[in-house]
């Protein structure tokens, strides 16, 4: 069994980006907006800022109060859309309930939508011809590639059908010629479906969503879930200790998919910069 080291792979991606930026004197800029004081969001935003500094990007943080109105937030985004020093804009989700996430996502100029959340980007991912990669699913694909895990012709099961993880994950696996089953909370016989899988990607957000009896010997198990256990520690969806005895490859939480999401965000920001500056 091999433990997939997302820290190592993401480090390599960030090193490549930092080297390219330094060598060419590029100045990509990322604006990160956070509304309210959700502690998990704060950690993610800090990690994104750190990654920007590491890659030699310019980053700007906009920390807005919980009671910021939707029109104030959209006005900020519209200003950043026009700002030539900013190539990518991301608005950390979730947003407070009084703000319509969809309206906010759609306010970001497509050329700066480095999270690839807007409808146009989602549609492009479905077709397979996209500018910005969906960060978490593309991070998973990078891990599979790095470990030479062949996807073509394999049975891949994705658990979770959110617009930001499950659905684009299924599409990227499909584009890589896997035979994909996309499961969700209404799926009947989840255990049987998973037992036939060569590759399982869990994006549920519930501790214990994938137990050892759902995994066949030699399967590849990718855990996207980030949960807090009763001791307040980070834990994935997968029953890691038991499943690692059966899996051929497994991602830990933390240190698996999480760092990859940020590395792909950096790739997208560099791509946005090059597109905006018309650099090949
Ligand atoms: P959502 O809550 O949007 O989606 C969860 C999905 O899981 C839904 O499709 C839901 O089904 C499905 N689900 C819930 N319960 C079950 C069940 N018992 N059996 C099968 N499916 C079930 O979450 P996200 O996609 O945004 O995130 C998923 C997890 O990934 C979270 O823990 C999140 O924190 C983490 N995450 C990690 C990232 C990383 O970088 N590592 C990035 C983004 C997210 P239904 O649609 O029927 O409700």
């Amino acid at each position: 069994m091999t433990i997939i080291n997302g820290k190592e792979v993401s480090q390599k991606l960030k090193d490549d980006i930092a080297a390219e930026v330094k060598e060419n004197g590029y100045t990509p800029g990322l604006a990160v907006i956070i509304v309210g004081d959700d502690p998990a969001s704060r950690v993610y935003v800090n990690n994104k800022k750190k990654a920007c500094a590491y890659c030699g990007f310019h980053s700007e943080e906009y920390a807005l109060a919980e009671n910021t109105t939707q029109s104030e937030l959209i006005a900020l985004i519209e200003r950043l859309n026009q700002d030539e020093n900013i190539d990518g804009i991301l608005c950390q989700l979730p947003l407070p309930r009084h703000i319509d996430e969809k309206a906010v996502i759609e306010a970001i100029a497509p050329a700066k939508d480095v999270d690839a959340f807007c409808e146009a980007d989602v549609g492009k991912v479905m077709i397979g011809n996209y500018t910005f990669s969906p960060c978490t699913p593309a991070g998973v694909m990078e891990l599979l590639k790095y470990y030479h895990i062949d996807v073509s012709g394999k049975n891949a099961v994705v658990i979770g059908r959110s617009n930001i993880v499950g659905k684009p994950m299924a599409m990227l696996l499909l584009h890589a010629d896997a035979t994909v089953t996309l499961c969700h909370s209404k799926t009947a016989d989840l255990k049987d479906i998973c037992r036939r899988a060569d590759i399982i990607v869990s994006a549920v957000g519930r501790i214990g969503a994938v137990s050892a009896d759902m995994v066949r010997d030699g399967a590849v198990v990718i855990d996207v879930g980030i949960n807090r256990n009763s001791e307040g520690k980070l834990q994935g969806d997968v029953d890691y200790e038991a499943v690692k005895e059966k899996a051929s490859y497994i991602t830990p939480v933390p240190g698996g998919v999480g760092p990859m999401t940020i590395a792909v965000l950096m790739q997208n920001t560099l791509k946005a910069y090059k597109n905006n500056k018309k650099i090949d």
Side-chain angles (χ1 to χ4, degrees):
M1 187 271 308
T2 302
I3 296 172
I4 292 179
N5 189 339
K7 274 193 196 162
E8 179 186 303
V9 185
S10 68
Q11 188 61 50
K12 195 182 167 313
L13 294 184
K14 285 188 292 183
D15 284 344
D16 289 349
I17 295 168
E20 186 180 344
V21 165
K22 195 167 177 207
E23 202 171 300
N24 296 287
Y26 292 160
T27 53
L30 179 68
V32 183
I33 305 170
I34 177 169
V35 187
D37 45 17
D38 176 54
S41 293
R42 171 45 57 202
V43 172
Y44 298 141
V45 165
N46 287 348
N47 288 342
K48 287 166 189 176
K49 279 167 54 192
K50 263 192 227 161
C52 280
Y54 186 85
C55 293
F57 294 4
H58 161 70
S59 74
E60 292 178 10
E61 180 187 312
Y62 295 87
L64 308 183
E66 179 86 21
N67 62 358
T68 300
T69 65
Q70 182 169 317
S71 46
E72 285 168 336
L73 176 55
I74 289 179
L76 169 64
I77 290 172
E78 282 168 355
R79 182 162 69 69
L80 293 168
N81 283 341
Q82 304 301 323
D83 186 336
E84 288 189 359
N85 294 319
I86 294 299
D87 302 289
I89 302 169
L90 83 79
C91 191
Q92 186 66 45
L93 303 181
L95 290 168
R97 278 170 181 221
H98 64 277
I99 298 179
D100 175 8
E101 281 188 359
K102 189 171 172 303
V104 170
I105 289 168
E106 294 304 321
I108 297 172
K112 299 191 178 187
D113 179 29
V114 285
D115 256 338
F117 285 169
C118 77
E119 286 179 354
D121 281 329
V122 173
K124 286 179 184 172
V125 169
M126 181 131 187
I127 291 165
N129 178 17
Y130 45 88
T131 313
F132 299 125
S133 305
C135 296
T136 302
V140 171
M141 297 308 287
E142 290 282 354
L143 288 177
L144 296 173
K145 189 167 94 185
Y146 189 85
Y147 283 87
H148 305 290
I149 297 168
D150 190 16
V151 172
S152 176
K154 299 285 165 57
N155 281 329
V157 170
V158 178
I159 319 175
R161 57 174 165 181
S162 71
N163 288 332
I164 62 170
V165 188
K167 283 182 201 163
M169 186 72 252
M171 283 301 135
L172 297 198
L173 287 164
L174 184 64
H175 295 321
D177 296 328
T179 302
V180 183
T181 308
L182 183 52
C183 301
H184 46 80
S185 67
K186 308 290 186 297
T187 298
D189 303 325
L190 181 64
K191 190 188 284 186
D192 286 346
I193 294 169
C194 287
R195 273 188 184 147
R196 290 195 293 273
D198 301 304
I199 300 166
I200 298 175
V201 180
S202 183
V204 173
R206 184 171 63 80
I207 290 172
V210 177
S211 50
D213 59 352
M214 296 165 75
V215 178
R216 70 159 184 77
D217 285 335
V220 174
V221 180
I222 307 289
D223 193 349
V224 178
I226 301 178
N227 312 292
R228 293 256 167 211
N229 67 17
S230 52
E231 292 159 7
K233 288 200 177 132
L234 287 188
Q235 197 172 328
D237 292 345
V238 175
D239 183 356
Y240 182 77
E241 289 306 323
V243 171
K244 80 175 171 26
E245 302 303 323
K246 298 178 90 178
S248 55
Y249 292 86
I250 188 166
T251 57
V253 177
V257 176
M260 296 303 296
T261 300
I262 295 183
V264 176
L265 175 71
M266 297 298 112
Q267 281 181 333
N268 283 348
T269 305
L270 178 56
K271 201 179 236 185
Y273 170 81
K274 287 167 125 182
N275 288 347
N276 294 340
K277 297 284 182 287
K278 305 203 176 355
I279 299 167
D280 280 337

